[in-house]
Amino acid sequence: MELINIEKLLDKYFDGTTSIDEENALKEYFAKNDIPSHLQDYKAMFTYFAKNKEEVSSKNIQVKTEKKTWRFNWLIASAAALLLFVSVYQFTPKGPTDSEIKEAQIAFNETKKAFQLISDNLNKGNNAIAFLNEYESTKSKIFK
Amino acid sequence: MSEKEFLNIVLPFKDKLYRLALQYLISKDSAEDATQEIIYKLWKNKTKISSYKNVEAFAMTMTKNYCLDQLKSKNSNNLKLVHSNYTDANSSLDKNMEVNDSVNIIKQLINGLPKKQRIIIQLRDVEQYTFEEIGKILGLKQTAIRVALSRARKTIREKITEKHNYGIN
């Protein structure tokens, strides 16, 4: 393409009125090596546009697998549920066993015996106090 | 729709999604994630795909919205860190060649443009979408796109000549 045309196109380009085809013509022109020095500055600009298009995503696209975060959440949820289940099972009070019942019965009987003993001795003391009271009332009759 | 059919529709414009995401998010990793996410979303709605008039434009709009959400969310704090890593790695990669150097300068100039202009340059000058398609993707009027595009191109031109005249690199 002739230089005058290129300059005209450049003016249009900077006004934002070039068509895609015209812009492609400019890109083609600036891809060459023999650019007049006063247009040399624009070469880098058009080279940048071409080079930018070479920038590609390097990751492979996966659509079938679930998102990682979700899988992780389910793992946490199931672990928490399991923990809850285990702890509930572990800490629920269980009924007393037979040997425990027997032991408790023995302890109860022993305690009963002990209380009986205390009560007997207490009654002995009470009788003695009743005797003292008798003495007191007789004494008050005599010494008025 | 089978996975193969789906991929036949999606893969031709996968890299366009990626490059658009890259313009928004700057970091390559984030752009990869965004691309993956958009394609995953499309896959989940694959029954509706045939009813879309223009799947590609629709996917580009999704990418735009997704990236804007990403930038708004708290993640945006992390992006800046990644951004500095990214430019370093890149400039050292093709530092040696003179052409690449001037191309990198253009890249930096474009990165310095306002976001809207940067995206429009990407969609028009790199991906070669028509104004109508860009209007659909960005939800803008065609005249507004033309004005922004012209402004962006002129800014690049000014900056290039400035650099050229003063020899600043």
Side-chain angles (χ1 to χ4, degrees):
Chain A
M1 199 180 286
E2 284 178 35
L3 190 60
I4 299 170
N5 278 338
I6 290 294
E7 282 173 345
K8 266 186 194 164
L9 271 188
L10 271 177
D11 283 342
K12 267 180 90 180
Y13 173 80
F14 284 109
D15 284 334
T17 50
T18 37
S19 69
I20 301 267
D21 285 341
E22 287 169 326
E23 283 166 23
N24 278 334
L26 280 174
K27 275 173 197 166
E28 232 171 81
Y29 175 80
F30 281 102
K32 291 183 217 154
N33 281 325
D34 50 342
I35 313 286
S37 58
H38 69 289
L39 295 179
Q40 196 69 43
D41 285 343
Y42 302 126
K43 187 178 164 64
M45 187 171 155
F46 288 98
T47 315
Y48 165 79
F49 295 144
K51 274 201 74 174
N52 186 305
K53 219 172 177 175
E54 287 163 18
E55 184 103 51
V56 292
S57 155
S58 53
K59 258 190 195 170
N60 282 326
I61 293 300
Q62 292 179 327
V63 289
K64 276 276 167 82
T65 49
E66 285 287 300
K67 268 201 301 181
K68 266 182 195 167
T69 48
W70 272 108
R71 233 188 292 162
F72 201 52
N73 280 358
W74 280 114
L75 208 71
I76 291 172
S78 56
L82 196 73
L83 198 72
L84 195 73
F85 183 76
V86 165
S87 57
V88 163
Y89 179 77
Q90 201 69 36
F91 294 110
T92 354
K94 284 166 241 165
T97 58
D98 285 353
S99 62
E100 277 173 336
I101 290 172
K102 270 181 199 163
E103 228 170 90
Q105 196 67 49
I106 292 165
F108 177 64
N109 290 338
E110 288 294 314
T111 320
K112 239 169 138 184
K113 266 188 219 162
F115 280 138
Q116 196 65 51
L117 203 68
I118 291 168
S119 135
D120 286 349
N121 287 325
L122 208 65
N123 284 339
K124 271 184 206 164
N126 272 348
N127 290 339
I129 289 167
F131 178 73
L132 275 178
N133 280 344
E134 194 63 35
Y135 174 77
E136 185 72 28
S137 61
T138 322
K139 187 194 82 179
S140 57
K141 272 180 197 166
I142 297 165
F143 303 98
K144 274 184 185 170
Chain B
M1 187 184 292
S2 74
E3 187 178 356
K4 202 181 168 192
E5 284 172 306
F6 173 76
L7 289 179
N8 279 340
I9 296 174
V10 166
L11 287 186
F13 58 80
K14 177 191 124 189
D15 290 327
K16 291 187 185 182
L17 304 183
Y18 170 71
R19 287 192 291 263
L20 179 65
L22 198 58
Q23 284 299 316
Y24 278 105
L25 304 173
I26 311 294
S27 140
K28 286 189 179 187
D29 286 338
S30 307
E32 295 273 17
D33 288 348
T35 315
Q36 178 78 48
E37 187 68 27
I38 296 305
I39 288 178
Y40 184 74
K41 278 183 183 168
L42 282 172
W43 171 251
K44 274 200 295 190
N45 292 318
K46 59 183 181 295
T47 44
K48 291 184 211 152
I49 275 189
S50 46
S51 67
Y52 299 142
K53 272 184 193 166
N54 188 340
V55 183
E56 183 176 329
F58 180 74
M60 291 293 273
T61 310
M62 277 174 76
T63 308
K64 180 204 84 177
N65 291 335
Y66 178 83
C67 290
L68 289 179
D69 281 352
Q70 288 290 302
L71 291 174
K72 259 186 218 164
S73 76
K74 286 169 193 167
N75 293 346
S76 59
N77 293 335
N78 302 335
L79 289 175
K80 281 177 191 162
L81 276 172
V82 182
H83 172 52
S84 58
N85 293 345
Y86 162 69
T87 39
D88 277 347
N90 199 53
S91 55
S92 63
L93 201 76
D94 37 29
K95 204 193 277 175
N96 299 335
M97 290 175 72
E98 200 187 316
V99 178
N100 274 343
D101 238 21
S102 57
V103 170
N104 268 335
I105 289 168
I106 301 289
K107 190 175 190 170
Q108 281 165 21
L109 287 181
I110 289 175
N111 281 342
L113 290 174
K115 200 195 307 160
K116 195 173 102 185
Q117 293 183 14
R118 202 169 70 220
I119 302 302
I120 290 177
I121 283 276
Q122 177 73 20
L123 292 177
R124 176 68 182 194
D125 281 329
V126 179
E127 311 295 359
Q128 297 185 304
Y129 283 112
T130 62
F131 285 122
E132 195 192 344
E133 284 167 323
I134 298 172
K136 252 187 213 162
I137 293 167
L138 299 181
L140 292 171
K141 283 185 182 168
Q142 292 187 31
T143 44
I145 294 165
R146 182 169 283 122
V147 169
L149 182 66
S150 165
R151 205 166 285 166
R153 285 170 174 173
K154 281 176 177 164
T155 310
I156 298 170
R157 180 174 63 181
E158 274 168 31
K159 292 272 169 67
I160 294 174
T161 32
E162 258 176 43
K163 290 209 168 175
H164 189 85
N165 289 342
Y166 299 106
I168 307 163
N169 258 326

